[in-house]
Amino acid sequence: MSYDIGIGRCAEVNGDTIVVELESVMVQRLLPGHPWQRSGISLLRLNRKLCSPTRPPQLERELFVPRAALAKRSMASLDPAGDGNTIQVDLRALLEDLDPQPSAGPSAKGSRAAVRRSLDG
């Protein structure tokens, strides 16, 4: 089973290249031990083909990638300091310590009458 994973805010769509502003937790997954940067400084450039077909890239919105696409060797270019110096990274690192199953979602709330009955005794 595959599901989409949000990886950051889409900052640029330029043909086949997507630029994403990453939160520091994503940078740490891609470059363990890298010094902390303020969130949004680090930029990730990846191929548009990796993006979710059901949630296509939209500027200023979360960018989603199917988990199945991240499970394969998928290379991208990371600019950790936002200064133009890039490092090639394997996006599979984003899946480390990630539960392979999607969350069950919110649970159904009980009715007020059922809650009152349980409180009354």
Side-chain angles (χ1 to χ4, degrees):
M1 170 182 244
S2 186
Y3 53 92
D4 293 343
I5 297 172
I7 62 169
R9 190 175 67 82
C10 181
E12 184 181 327
V13 178
N14 188 3
D16 287 340
T17 302
I18 306 296
V19 178
V20 182
E21 293 176 348
L22 295 180
E23 297 290 325
S24 58
V25 69
M26 292 302 210
V27 176
Q28 283 300 310
R29 285 179 180 259
L30 294 169
L31 289 176
H34 187 271
W36 183 84
Q37 299 287 330
R38 184 170 48 93
S39 290
I41 288 178
S42 302
L43 302 174
L44 182 71
R45 286 177 174 74
L46 63 136
N47 191 302
R48 185 183 196 125
K49 291 178 187 176
L50 294 173
C51 298
S52 170
T54 57
R55 301 180 199 186
Q58 295 179 27
L59 286 175
E60 306 299 323
R61 308 234 56 205
E62 187 75 13
L63 181 80
F64 291 91
V65 178
R67 185 185 192 290
L70 294 176
K72 302 175 193 167
R73 182 174 163 88
S74 302
M75 300 305 288
S77 179
L78 176 63
D79 180 353
D83 60 5
N85 293 318
T86 61
I87 301 167
Q88 287 295 108
V89 293
D90 187 346
L91 297 179
R92 289 181 291 188
L94 296 175
L95 295 178
E96 287 189 31
D97 299 326
L98 191 65
D99 189 346
Q101 296 298 318
S103 65
S107 60
K109 294 182 179 179
S111 70
R112 287 185 179 179
V115 171
R116 256 187 251 123
R117 281 192 301 269
S118 68
L119 292 174
D120 291 340

